[in-house]
Amino acid sequence: MADYRRIMLLLLQGRSYRQVQTLLNCSPQTISKARQVLQEQEFTTPEQLKDLSDEVLEQCFTDARRTVSTNFVPINIDAVIKARIGRKKPPLKVLWARYLRTEAIGSQRHYQYERFCQLVAEEVRQRNLTSPIAHEPGRTMQVDWAGTKMQVVDPITGRATKASIFVSTLPYSG
């Protein structure tokens, strides 16, 4: 985290953004935020900054990303992961639709689909629930029978025969 106290002290000394950026190796956006807090809180002297406790200073620079999560309906990650394990794996779109049916309390909002997927993927990665499979080109072939049997009708005899669809792929992870 940026040293906002030092940034604001330099700004109060009349230093330019470029000078502050060079001295403290911080972004112009960080310096701009510090200047904005100086104006909002009406700090005009270095003594005012030195008298501030670290907690009060941190409250002036609360990161919205820290508090936003409380404004969202929490995702029951364990239920989502449990649904994705086993033979019948509902798509994430279906699980997101279930999540949308969760009642919001007060001003809480639901995550959008993309963010929902990101949070689930992050949790899966943290719990180490996936194992990537590396494939060499032309080394293996994956085969399966697809769907239910269909009927093929001979146009000459009119006789119907049940047939399965055979599917094969040559996987390559790269």
Side-chain angles (χ1 to χ4, degrees), residues 1-173:
M1 186 171 155
D3 187 352
Y4 285 110
R5 188 182 309 269
R6 287 188 61 202
I7 294 170
M8 291 192 306
L9 285 170
L10 290 172
L11 289 172
L12 286 175
Q13 292 172 3
R15 302 285 180 109
S16 69
Y17 274 40
R18 189 172 302 264
Q19 290 172 328
V20 174
Q21 192 175 357
T22 304
L23 288 170
L24 300 180
N25 194 25
C26 56
S27 70
Q29 293 84 1
T30 303
I31 301 168
S32 177
K33 176 66 176 165
R35 180 167 305 281
Q36 181 182 357
V37 169
L38 279 173
Q39 291 170 349
E40 288 173 357
Q41 301 296 325
E42 298 177 355
F43 294 132
T44 55
T45 64
E47 290 74 30
Q48 290 173 314
L49 291 176
K50 289 177 183 172
D51 292 340
L52 283 179
S53 68
D54 289 339
E55 292 80 27
V56 172
L57 187 64
E58 188 175 329
Q59 287 175 355
C60 292
F61 292 97
T62 55
D63 188 353
R65 290 175 292 186
R66 290 184 193 163
T67 58
V68 167
S69 63
T70 59
N71 294 333
F72 288 95
V73 175
I75 301 171
N76 186 347
I77 295 287
D78 291 330
V80 171
I81 290 172
K82 185 177 179 184
R84 295 285 295 165
I85 295 175
R87 294 203 45 86
K88 293 189 177 189
K89 297 177 180 78
L92 282 175
K93 199 85 154 178
V94 171
L95 297 173
W96 178 65
R98 288 182 194 164
Y99 161 73
L100 291 178
R101 290 193 297 253
T102 307
E103 190 171 331
I105 300 171
S107 65
Q108 286 183 329
R109 304 174 310 182
H110 289 89
Y111 288 109
Q112 293 296 318
Y113 176 67
E114 184 178 339
R115 183 65 179 145
F116 176 84
C117 292
Q118 288 172 349
L119 291 171
V120 170
E122 183 179 317
E123 189 67 28
V124 166
R125 197 172 28 260
Q126 284 179 356
R127 293 185 188 189
N128 205 16
L129 297 176
T130 59
S131 178
I133 301 171
H135 296 284
E136 294 180 38
R139 188 78 145 159
T140 58
M141 179 172 30
Q142 295 176 338
V143 297
D144 200 0
W145 300 99
T148 57
K149 290 187 178 187
M150 54 188 275
Q151 287 192 357
V152 178
V153 179
D154 186 347
I156 298 172
T157 63
R159 194 173 113 215
T161 307
K162 288 194 174 194
S164 298
I165 298 176
F166 177 77
V167 178
S168 69
T169 62
L170 299 171
Y172 172 59
S173 299

